[in-house]
Structures are given as structure tokens and as C-alpha cells.
């Protein structure tokens, strides 16, 4: 059975996004339509749609005479991402709080325990993202959630760049504090902790003189 073009495009976009976020495809690298089409056994139509999705997520950019390339990122962008996450995740949580059920809190608690048990950066990032998504999704504001999802992808790029080889697990209790406040119905407290949690930028000593963009990350 032939796959729908949009399904193929989504699959290609997800695979390329994963490679970009983890650094397998580095900043500034070209994304060659012909090569990608051959790799995925697809026509150029879904590849072009996948490129549009990557552009919408801020992971790729189309440049005149250079074609599609992976976007670069720097510390200034990280500060912007942190500020946007602090504002938008708090907005989402305020709308989500009245709709958060005990089952959602339990699932978020399980995600947090998975993050605490993680022994490598990728497992931690996936569990951490799941924790935030579970608490924010009940806001029922799909456009807001889509924007926050894109910000998490940007956060992940910095995280993997900073701790690709030497993972230093964060030691904070803020996830638990957010859950405790929500269980008590203290939405303002939960939002206050969340804002500090995602707005904090953590530094790491550069491993070499070329390691600049990867020296800082949002570990929240």
C-alpha cells in the first residue's frame, strides 16, 4: 500500500530533526534534496514538505544560491529561548491547571522519576520533555503548545551540544515542587517555580577553544 505523501514528509522531517538536534548533522550543513530523497526512497515532493516543517521549527533555513541548510545557534538565541519558555510555559500552565487530573499528575510524576533515573543525556531530555508536555497539554491551546514544542527542540540542541560527551545530571527538586504545588491547588506557586526552572541557563566549561555555542544550556 502506498504511503500518503504527508506521512512520508512527517517521517523524513522527524528523522532529520533528530539528527539536527543531536548534532549528527551540524549547524551550517547543507540538506541536499536529491540525497535525502534517495535515502528515504521518496520523491522530491515530501522532501520539500519536510524542509518546510524543519524551517517552521527553526532547524533549517533556505538561503539564496546556497539551498537548504541547518541553522546555526548561539548564546543570544539561548537567552531568547529561555525567556520565551518562561513566559509561554507559565501561560500554558495557568490555563492547564484547572484541567489537570490526578492521572495527569501521576503520569508527570512517572516522567520525572524517569528523568531522575536517566544515566545519559538523551534519556533525560526525552523524560524531561514528556514531564513538561503532560502538564501543559491540558491548556487546550494547540497553537501555544506547538510553539512551546519548537522551543523545546531549540533547548535540546543546546543541551546535546553542551553535554554530548560528558553528561552532568541536574540536581534540582523543582519538578517535584511544581507537582506538589499543583496537588495543593497552588497554581501561582507552581507557575513561579516553573518560570525560574525553565528560565535558568546553566554553564559548562568549554572543552576546547572552538566549543562556544555548546557551553551553555537550559537544563529544565
Amino acid at each position: 500500500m502506498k504511503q500518503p505523501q504527508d506521512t512520508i514528509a512527517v517521517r523524513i522531517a522527524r528523522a532529520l530533526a533528530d539528527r539536527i538536534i543531536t548534532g549528527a548533522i551540524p549547524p551550517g550543513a547543507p540538506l541536499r534534496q536529491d540525497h535525502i530523497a534517495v535515502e528515504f526512497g521518496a520523491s522530491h515532493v515530501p522532501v520539500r514538505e519536510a524542509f518546510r516543517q524543519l524551517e517552521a521549527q527553526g532547524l533549517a533555513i533556505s538561503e539564496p544560491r546556497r539551498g537548504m541548510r541547518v541553522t546555526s545557534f548561539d548564546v543570544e538565541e539561548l537567552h531568547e529561548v529561555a525567556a520565551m519558555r518562561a513566559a509561554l510555559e507559565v501561560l500554558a500552565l495557568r490555563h492547564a491547571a484547572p484541567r489537570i487530573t490526578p492521572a495527569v499528575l501521576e503520569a508527570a510524576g512517572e516522567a520525572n522519576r524517569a528523568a531522575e533515573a536517566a544515566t545519559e543525556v538523551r534519556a533525560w531530555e526525552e523524560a524531561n520533555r514528556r514531564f513538561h508536555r503532560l502538564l501543559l497539554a491540558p491548556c487546550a491551546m494547540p497553537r501555544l503548545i506547538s510553539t512551546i514544542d519548537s522551543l523545546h527542540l531549540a533547548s535540546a540542541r543546546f543541551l546535546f551540544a553542551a553535554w554530548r560527551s560528558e553528561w552532568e545530571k541536574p540536581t534540582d527538586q523543582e519538578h517535584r515542587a511544581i507537582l506538589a504545588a499543583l496537588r495543593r491547588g497552588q497554581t501561582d506557586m507552581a507557575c513561579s517555580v516553573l518560570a525560574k526552572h525553565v528560565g535558568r541557563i546553566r554553564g559548562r566549561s568549554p572543552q576546547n577553544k572552538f566549543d562556544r555555542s555548546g557551553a551553555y544550556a537550559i537544563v529544565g
Side-chain angles (χ1 to χ4, degrees), residues 120-150:
E120 52 90 24
V121 63
R122 185 168 190 129
W124 181 88
E125 193 278 330
E126 289 175 354
N128 180 70
R129 195 189 316 185
R130 188 164 67 252
F131 172 87
H132 286 264
R133 194 62 153 72
L134 283 164
L135 292 182
L136 303 181
C139 75
M141 302 170 74
R143 192 169 296 179
L144 176 60
I145 290 297
S146 177
T147 301
I148 292 171
D149 284 345
S150 294

mmCIF file of all heavy atoms in Angstrom, residues 120-150:
data_model
loop_
_atom_site.group_PDB
_atom_site.id
_atom_site.type_symbol
_atom_site.label_atom_id
_atom_site.label_comp_id
_atom_site.label_asym_id
_atom_site.label_seq_id
_atom_site.Cartn_x
_atom_site.Cartn_y
_atom_site.Cartn_z
ATOM 1 N N GLU A 120 22.042 8.974 30.833
ATOM 2 C CA GLU A 120 22.637 9.674 29.692
ATOM 3 C C GLU A 120 21.691 10.768 29.229
ATOM 4 O O GLU A 120 20.504 10.750 29.527
ATOM 5 C CB GLU A 120 22.998 8.692 28.566
ATOM 6 C CG GLU A 120 21.874 7.781 28.137
ATOM 7 C CD GLU A 120 21.059 8.390 27.018
ATOM 8 O OE1 GLU A 120 21.597 9.251 26.302
ATOM 9 O OE2 GLU A 120 19.891 8.020 26.868
ATOM 10 N N VAL A 121 22.248 11.738 28.521
ATOM 11 C CA VAL A 121 21.541 12.984 28.242
ATOM 12 C C VAL A 121 20.284 12.785 27.410
ATOM 13 O O VAL A 121 19.272 13.436 27.632
ATOM 14 C CB VAL A 121 22.493 14.007 27.579
ATOM 15 C CG1 VAL A 121 22.993 13.533 26.244
ATOM 16 C CG2 VAL A 121 21.801 15.364 27.453
ATOM 17 N N ARG A 122 20.320 11.866 26.452
ATOM 18 C CA ARG A 122 19.149 11.694 25.589
ATOM 19 C C ARG A 122 17.945 11.187 26.370
ATOM 20 O O ARG A 122 16.821 11.675 26.194
ATOM 21 C CB ARG A 122 19.472 10.755 24.437
ATOM 22 C CG ARG A 122 18.320 10.659 23.447
ATOM 23 C CD ARG A 122 18.712 9.962 22.168
ATOM 24 N NE ARG A 122 17.657 10.129 21.200
ATOM 25 C CZ ARG A 122 17.822 10.561 19.969
ATOM 26 N NH1 ARG A 122 19.007 10.931 19.564
ATOM 27 N NH2 ARG A 122 16.816 10.665 19.138
ATOM 28 N N ALA A 123 18.165 10.202 27.242
ATOM 29 C CA ALA A 123 17.065 9.670 28.048
ATOM 30 C C ALA A 123 16.514 10.745 28.972
ATOM 31 O O ALA A 123 15.295 10.846 29.184
ATOM 32 C CB ALA A 123 17.541 8.463 28.855
ATOM 33 N N TRP A 124 17.426 11.556 29.546
ATOM 34 C CA TRP A 124 16.963 12.632 30.415
ATOM 35 C C TRP A 124 16.124 13.649 29.639
ATOM 36 O O TRP A 124 15.059 14.057 30.086
ATOM 37 C CB TRP A 124 18.148 13.350 31.068
ATOM 38 C CG TRP A 124 17.700 14.444 31.988
ATOM 39 C CD1 TRP A 124 17.390 14.334 33.304
ATOM 40 C CD2 TRP A 124 17.447 15.811 31.638
ATOM 41 N NE1 TRP A 124 16.963 15.553 33.804
ATOM 42 C CE2 TRP A 124 16.989 16.469 32.801
ATOM 43 C CE3 TRP A 124 17.564 16.536 30.452
ATOM 44 C CZ2 TRP A 124 16.646 17.818 32.800
ATOM 45 C CZ3 TRP A 124 17.220 17.886 30.451
ATOM 46 C CH2 TRP A 124 16.777 18.519 31.626
ATOM 47 N N GLU A 125 16.585 14.050 28.467
ATOM 48 C CA GLU A 125 15.875 15.055 27.681
ATOM 49 C C GLU A 125 14.487 14.571 27.288
ATOM 50 O O GLU A 125 13.505 15.332 27.357
ATOM 51 C CB GLU A 125 16.687 15.415 26.439
ATOM 52 C CG GLU A 125 16.207 16.662 25.707
ATOM 53 C CD GLU A 125 15.049 16.414 24.788
ATOM 54 O OE1 GLU A 125 14.941 15.292 24.248
ATOM 55 O OE2 GLU A 125 14.228 17.340 24.592
ATOM 56 N N GLU A 126 14.378 13.318 26.883
ATOM 57 C CA GLU A 126 13.076 12.775 26.487
ATOM 58 C C GLU A 126 12.108 12.745 27.664
ATOM 59 O O GLU A 126 10.935 13.113 27.535
ATOM 60 C CB GLU A 126 13.250 11.374 25.904
ATOM 61 C CG GLU A 126 13.931 11.369 24.533
ATOM 62 C CD GLU A 126 14.203 9.970 24.020
ATOM 63 O OE1 GLU A 126 13.970 8.992 24.789
ATOM 64 O OE2 GLU A 126 14.647 9.838 22.868
ATOM 65 N N ALA A 127 12.597 12.316 28.832
ATOM 66 C CA ALA A 127 11.730 12.261 30.016
ATOM 67 C C ALA A 127 11.367 13.663 30.490
ATOM 68 O O ALA A 127 10.222 13.920 30.905
ATOM 69 C CB ALA A 127 12.428 11.484 31.132
ATOM 70 N N ASN A 128 12.335 14.572 30.433
ATOM 71 C CA ASN A 128 12.084 15.945 30.852
ATOM 72 C C ASN A 128 11.035 16.607 29.955
ATOM 73 O O ASN A 128 10.107 17.272 30.430
ATOM 74 C CB ASN A 128 13.382 16.750 30.805
ATOM 75 C CG ASN A 128 13.184 18.191 31.229
ATOM 76 O OD1 ASN A 128 12.937 18.477 32.390
ATOM 77 N ND2 ASN A 128 13.300 19.108 30.283
ATOM 78 N N ARG A 129 11.159 16.398 28.646
ATOM 79 C CA ARG A 129 10.200 16.980 27.713
ATOM 80 C C ARG A 129 8.806 16.389 27.938
ATOM 81 O O ARG A 129 7.798 17.085 27.857
ATOM 82 C CB ARG A 129 10.650 16.741 26.273
ATOM 83 C CG ARG A 129 9.896 17.645 25.282
ATOM 84 C CD ARG A 129 10.159 17.302 23.846
ATOM 85 N NE ARG A 129 11.563 17.032 23.514
ATOM 86 C CZ ARG A 129 11.964 16.820 22.265
ATOM 87 N NH1 ARG A 129 11.112 16.868 21.277
ATOM 88 N NH2 ARG A 129 13.228 16.560 22.015
ATOM 89 N N ARG A 130 8.772 15.086 28.226
ATOM 90 C CA ARG A 130 7.483 14.433 28.495
ATOM 91 C C ARG A 130 6.822 15.007 29.739
ATOM 92 O O ARG A 130 5.601 15.234 29.768
ATOM 93 C CB ARG A 130 7.695 12.921 28.644
ATOM 94 C CG ARG A 130 6.386 12.119 28.745
ATOM 95 C CD ARG A 130 6.647 10.645 28.506
ATOM 96 N NE ARG A 130 7.447 10.011 29.530
ATOM 97 C CZ ARG A 130 8.715 9.622 29.364
ATOM 98 N NH1 ARG A 130 9.327 9.814 28.231
ATOM 99 N NH2 ARG A 130 9.367 9.031 30.348
ATOM 100 N N PHE A 131 7.612 15.290 30.772
ATOM 101 C CA PHE A 131 7.082 15.889 32.002
ATOM 102 C C PHE A 131 6.400 17.216 31.694
ATOM 103 O O PHE A 131 5.257 17.452 32.091
ATOM 104 C CB PHE A 131 8.227 16.102 32.998
ATOM 105 C CG PHE A 131 7.836 16.892 34.221
ATOM 106 C CD1 PHE A 131 7.295 16.250 35.330
ATOM 107 C CD2 PHE A 131 8.008 18.270 34.265
ATOM 108 C CE1 PHE A 131 6.927 16.974 36.462
ATOM 109 C CE2 PHE A 131 7.659 19.001 35.385
ATOM 110 C CZ PHE A 131 7.105 18.352 36.488
ATOM 111 N N HIS A 132 7.092 18.081 30.981
ATOM 112 C CA HIS A 132 6.530 19.399 30.671
ATOM 113 C C HIS A 132 5.290 19.272 29.784
ATOM 114 O O HIS A 132 4.279 19.945 30.009
ATOM 115 C CB HIS A 132 7.592 20.273 29.996
ATOM 116 C CG HIS A 132 8.641 20.764 30.938
ATOM 117 N ND1 HIS A 132 8.581 21.998 31.532
ATOM 118 C CD2 HIS A 132 9.770 20.172 31.409
ATOM 119 C CE1 HIS A 132 9.638 22.158 32.327
ATOM 120 N NE2 HIS A 132 10.377 21.068 32.258
ATOM 121 N N ARG A 133 5.355 18.399 28.786
ATOM 122 C CA ARG A 133 4.233 18.240 27.847
ATOM 123 C C ARG A 133 2.983 17.762 28.566
ATOM 124 O O ARG A 133 1.874 18.243 28.286
ATOM 125 C CB ARG A 133 4.645 17.253 26.759
ATOM 126 C CG ARG A 133 3.742 17.233 25.526
ATOM 127 C CD ARG A 133 3.744 18.566 24.834
ATOM 128 N NE ARG A 133 3.461 18.540 23.422
ATOM 129 C CZ ARG A 133 2.289 18.299 22.862
ATOM 130 N NH1 ARG A 133 1.246 18.036 23.616
ATOM 131 N NH2 ARG A 133 2.130 18.337 21.553
ATOM 132 N N LEU A 134 3.138 16.822 29.486
ATOM 133 C CA LEU A 134 1.980 16.284 30.213
ATOM 134 C C LEU A 134 1.270 17.368 31.004
ATOM 135 O O LEU A 134 0.032 17.421 31.031
ATOM 136 C CB LEU A 134 2.434 15.161 31.148
ATOM 137 C CG LEU A 134 2.733 13.820 30.486
ATOM 138 C CD1 LEU A 134 3.538 12.923 31.437
ATOM 139 C CD2 LEU A 134 1.422 13.123 30.083
ATOM 140 N N LEU A 135 2.028 18.238 31.654
ATOM 141 C CA LEU A 135 1.416 19.276 32.489
ATOM 142 C C LEU A 135 0.830 20.424 31.670
ATOM 143 O O LEU A 135 -0.130 21.062 32.100
ATOM 144 C CB LEU A 135 2.441 19.832 33.473
ATOM 145 C CG LEU A 135 2.917 18.866 34.569
ATOM 146 C CD1 LEU A 135 3.901 19.579 35.487
ATOM 147 C CD2 LEU A 135 1.742 18.315 35.368
ATOM 148 N N LEU A 136 1.398 20.690 30.493
ATOM 149 C CA LEU A 136 0.964 21.839 29.721
ATOM 150 C C LEU A 136 -0.142 21.517 28.711
ATOM 151 O O LEU A 136 -0.957 22.381 28.381
ATOM 152 C CB LEU A 136 2.154 22.457 28.981
ATOM 153 C CG LEU A 136 3.337 22.899 29.858
ATOM 154 C CD1 LEU A 136 4.425 23.515 28.982
ATOM 155 C CD2 LEU A 136 2.890 23.881 30.927
ATOM 156 N N ALA A 137 -0.188 20.283 28.220
ATOM 157 C CA ALA A 137 -1.152 19.913 27.189
ATOM 158 C C ALA A 137 -2.612 20.178 27.572
ATOM 159 O O ALA A 137 -3.410 20.560 26.709
ATOM 160 C CB ALA A 137 -0.969 18.447 26.798
ATOM 161 N N PRO A 138 -3.003 20.002 28.850
ATOM 162 C CA PRO A 138 -4.413 20.267 29.201
ATOM 163 C C PRO A 138 -4.862 21.709 28.996
ATOM 164 O O PRO A 138 -6.061 21.993 29.119
ATOM 165 C CB PRO A 138 -4.474 19.879 30.691
ATOM 166 C CG PRO A 138 -3.388 18.876 30.865
ATOM 167 C CD PRO A 138 -2.289 19.363 29.973
ATOM 168 N N CYS A 139 -3.965 22.619 28.671
ATOM 169 C CA CYS A 139 -4.377 24.005 28.428
ATOM 170 C C CYS A 139 -5.311 24.094 27.228
ATOM 171 O O CYS A 139 -6.045 25.079 27.084
ATOM 172 C CB CYS A 139 -3.170 24.912 28.225
ATOM 173 S SG CYS A 139 -2.348 24.745 26.622
ATOM 174 N N ALA A 140 -5.273 23.070 26.373
ATOM 175 C CA ALA A 140 -6.158 23.021 25.201
ATOM 176 C C ALA A 140 -5.960 24.223 24.279
ATOM 177 O O ALA A 140 -6.905 24.788 23.735
ATOM 178 C CB ALA A 140 -7.618 22.912 25.619
ATOM 179 N N MET A 141 -4.716 24.630 24.116
ATOM 180 C CA MET A 141 -4.357 25.741 23.224
ATOM 181 C C MET A 141 -3.305 25.209 22.251
ATOM 182 O O MET A 141 -2.097 25.345 22.494
ATOM 183 C CB MET A 141 -3.848 26.937 24.032
ATOM 184 C CG MET A 141 -4.856 27.441 25.054
ATOM 185 S SD MET A 141 -4.169 28.679 26.208
ATOM 186 C CE MET A 141 -4.072 30.115 25.118
ATOM 187 N N PRO A 142 -3.727 24.574 21.173
ATOM 188 C CA PRO A 142 -2.788 23.868 20.284
ATOM 189 C C PRO A 142 -1.710 24.748 19.672
ATOM 190 O O PRO A 142 -0.574 24.321 19.495
ATOM 191 C CB PRO A 142 -3.694 23.252 19.207
ATOM 192 C CG PRO A 142 -4.987 23.984 19.314
ATOM 193 C CD PRO A 142 -5.117 24.393 20.740
ATOM 194 N N ARG A 143 -2.038 25.996 19.344
ATOM 195 C CA ARG A 143 -1.034 26.875 18.750
ATOM 196 C C ARG A 143 0.059 27.206 19.770
ATOM 197 O O ARG A 143 1.243 27.257 19.443
ATOM 198 C CB ARG A 143 -1.700 28.150 18.241
ATOM 199 C CG ARG A 143 -0.808 28.991 17.350
ATOM 200 C CD ARG A 143 -1.596 30.090 16.650
ATOM 201 N NE ARG A 143 -2.594 29.525 15.747
ATOM 202 C CZ ARG A 143 -3.429 30.253 15.022
ATOM 203 N NH1 ARG A 143 -3.396 31.577 15.099
ATOM 204 N NH2 ARG A 143 -4.289 29.681 14.218
ATOM 205 N N LEU A 144 -0.350 27.430 21.008
ATOM 206 C CA LEU A 144 0.612 27.704 22.072
ATOM 207 C C LEU A 144 1.504 26.495 22.317
ATOM 208 O O LEU A 144 2.727 26.616 22.426
ATOM 209 C CB LEU A 144 -0.132 28.089 23.353
ATOM 210 C CG LEU A 144 0.714 28.315 24.613
ATOM 211 C CD1 LEU A 144 1.719 29.428 24.400
ATOM 212 C CD2 LEU A 144 -0.196 28.620 25.805
ATOM 213 N N ILE A 145 0.901 25.313 22.383
ATOM 214 C CA ILE A 145 1.667 24.084 22.620
ATOM 215 C C ILE A 145 2.642 23.832 21.476
ATOM 216 O O ILE A 145 3.789 23.401 21.693
ATOM 217 C CB ILE A 145 0.720 22.886 22.805
ATOM 218 C CG1 ILE A 145 -0.033 23.005 24.131
ATOM 219 C CG2 ILE A 145 1.492 21.565 22.761
ATOM 220 C CD1 ILE A 145 0.860 22.981 25.355
ATOM 221 N N SER A 146 2.215 24.103 20.236
ATOM 222 C CA SER A 146 3.106 23.915 19.098
ATOM 223 C C SER A 146 4.330 24.824 19.201
ATOM 224 O O SER A 146 5.458 24.402 18.918
ATOM 225 C CB SER A 146 2.349 24.207 17.798
ATOM 226 O OG SER A 146 3.204 24.088 16.683
ATOM 227 N N THR A 147 4.123 26.063 19.642
ATOM 228 C CA THR A 147 5.239 26.987 19.816
ATOM 229 C C THR A 147 6.175 26.505 20.915
ATOM 230 O O THR A 147 7.406 26.542 20.771
ATOM 231 C CB THR A 147 4.717 28.397 20.155
ATOM 232 O OG1 THR A 147 3.864 28.848 19.107
ATOM 233 C CG2 THR A 147 5.877 29.376 20.326
ATOM 234 N N ILE A 148 5.604 26.031 22.021
ATOM 235 C CA ILE A 148 6.420 25.518 23.124
ATOM 236 C C ILE A 148 7.205 24.284 22.680
ATOM 237 O O ILE A 148 8.384 24.122 23.034
ATOM 238 C CB ILE A 148 5.536 25.205 24.349
ATOM 239 C CG1 ILE A 148 4.994 26.512 24.939
ATOM 240 C CG2 ILE A 148 6.317 24.421 25.406
ATOM 241 C CD1 ILE A 148 3.937 26.318 26.010
ATOM 242 N N ASP A 149 6.580 23.423 21.890
ATOM 243 C CA ASP A 149 7.283 22.246 21.366
ATOM 244 C C ASP A 149 8.515 22.669 20.569
ATOM 245 O O ASP A 149 9.592 22.066 20.688
ATOM 246 C CB ASP A 149 6.352 21.411 20.482
ATOM 247 C CG ASP A 149 5.346 20.604 21.282
ATOM 248 O OD1 ASP A 149 5.534 20.451 22.508
ATOM 249 O OD2 ASP A 149 4.366 20.126 20.669
ATOM 250 N N SER A 150 8.381 23.707 19.748
ATOM 251 C CA SER A 150 9.514 24.191 18.957
ATOM 252 C C SER A 150 10.616 24.743 19.860
ATOM 253 O O SER A 150 11.808 24.562 19.586
ATOM 254 C CB SER A 150 9.048 25.277 17.983
ATOM 255 O OG SER A 150 8.171 24.741 17.006
#
